[in-house]
Amino acid sequence: MAGRAEAGRKNDPERTKEDILAVATEEFATHGLAGGRVDAIAERTRTSKRMIYYYFGGKEGLYLSVLERAYRKIRTLEEDLKLASLAPEAALRTLIFSTFDHDEANPDFVRLVSIENIHHAAHMLRSEAIRDLNVSVIETIAGILERGHAEGVFRRRADPIDVHMLISAFCFFRVSNRYTFGTIFRRDLSEPETMARHKGLIADAVIDFLKAGPDAVS
């Protein structure tokens, strides 16, 4: 049985790499870069440390590939929304809801980004892929804002990176600080009614910010 499984992996290297990345995501999100063990990843994927190093060039290469995969997942999800076909307000609200749902469903992503911030983005700086991947969401928001302003839906001319940061900050914080915030204020942030209220709150806050208030000076 094990021999057949190993043979299957050799015949499908892309599947093998995807299996390794999925397990490595859990390992690094749980234990960080320093605490994550390649031996543990190899054992769980029934591969070998040598095979992992062959595919990813070492532990840091594997960690960087995990980060790239995590960002690729959320950017692909955004592309699938087909936001250009929606009216500006609906498009932005849909994007916000998608970001909220993604972060809630992928706490490993939030932990990985938090870990990389501890390292001052030292590994991310080596990745052209991550920079290129994240251009798309800014272009998407810029397009929505421009359409909204042209149609008179949004009065304020806002920086798309600022808008992205505003959305990300709220959605990310809810997951990254869930336990500390919940402990301090005795509030379960995973409770369905609270989640629904917060989802509407961040969408309304961003939309109202863009609708109300004068145009910023260019």
Side-chain angles (χ1 to χ4, degrees):
M1 182 70 73
R4 286 199 299 273
E6 189 66 26
R9 287 189 177 86
K10 289 178 181 176
N11 293 332
D12 193 351
E14 291 306 313
R15 179 183 151 198
T16 301
K17 286 191 279 189
E18 182 59 27
D19 288 346
I20 292 168
L21 287 170
V23 172
T25 296
E26 296 178 13
E27 180 73 12
F28 289 132
T30 301
H31 302 290
L33 174 59
R37 294 177 55 246
V38 177
D39 286 336
I41 296 166
E43 182 178 352
R44 287 183 59 192
T45 54
R46 294 187 179 181
T47 56
S48 65
K49 190 172 182 178
R50 182 161 64 174
M51 178 181 287
I52 292 174
Y53 278 32
Y54 172 78
Y55 283 137
F56 301 101
K59 183 179 180 180
E60 291 197 5
L62 175 59
Y63 171 77
L64 186 55
S65 293
V66 163
L67 284 174
E68 290 172 350
R69 176 179 178 270
Y71 276 102
R72 188 174 294 108
K73 180 179 179 179
I74 188 172
R75 301 289 86 96
T76 300
L77 180 65
E78 290 161 354
E79 289 175 10
D80 290 343
L81 297 174
K82 309 297 182 187
L83 298 175
S85 66
L86 301 177
E89 181 175 342
L92 191 53
R93 197 173 288 273
T94 299
L95 178 63
I96 293 167
F97 288 171
S98 177
T99 303
F100 187 102
D101 290 342
H102 169 273
D103 287 1
E104 287 293 329
N106 294 275
D108 282 352
F109 170 78
V110 173
R111 286 194 288 266
L112 284 168
V113 174
S114 298
I115 289 166
E116 185 59 11
N117 272 288
I118 291 172
H119 294 288
H120 305 286
H123 306 91
M124 197 177 288
L125 285 169
R126 293 165 34 206
S127 175
E128 290 290 338
I130 289 178
R131 282 193 290 273
D132 292 344
L133 280 167
N134 286 286
V135 167
S136 64
V137 68
I138 303 305
E139 291 177 341
T140 296
I141 293 174
I144 294 171
L145 297 180
E146 190 57 40
R147 286 194 294 121
H149 196 267
E151 295 175 20
V153 177
F154 301 145
R155 293 180 58 206
R156 188 188 301 271
R157 283 200 178 276
D159 182 331
I161 295 179
D162 287 349
V163 173
H164 175 57
M165 186 175 184
L166 179 59
I167 298 166
S168 298
F170 186 87
C171 297
F172 191 96
F173 179 93
R174 274 186 41 85
V175 180
S176 66
N177 290 50
R178 172 171 294 161
Y179 299 108
T180 53
F181 195 89
T183 298
I184 292 168
F185 297 105
R186 302 293 190 270
R187 180 162 293 183
D188 181 3
L189 298 187
S190 64
E191 196 275 325
E193 288 186 10
T194 301
M195 288 178 60
R197 185 174 69 254
H198 285 180
K199 196 173 181 179
L201 187 154
I202 181 58
D204 289 345
V206 174
I207 298 295
D208 290 349
F209 169 75
L210 294 170
K211 283 185 171 182
D215 291 345
V217 177
S218 300

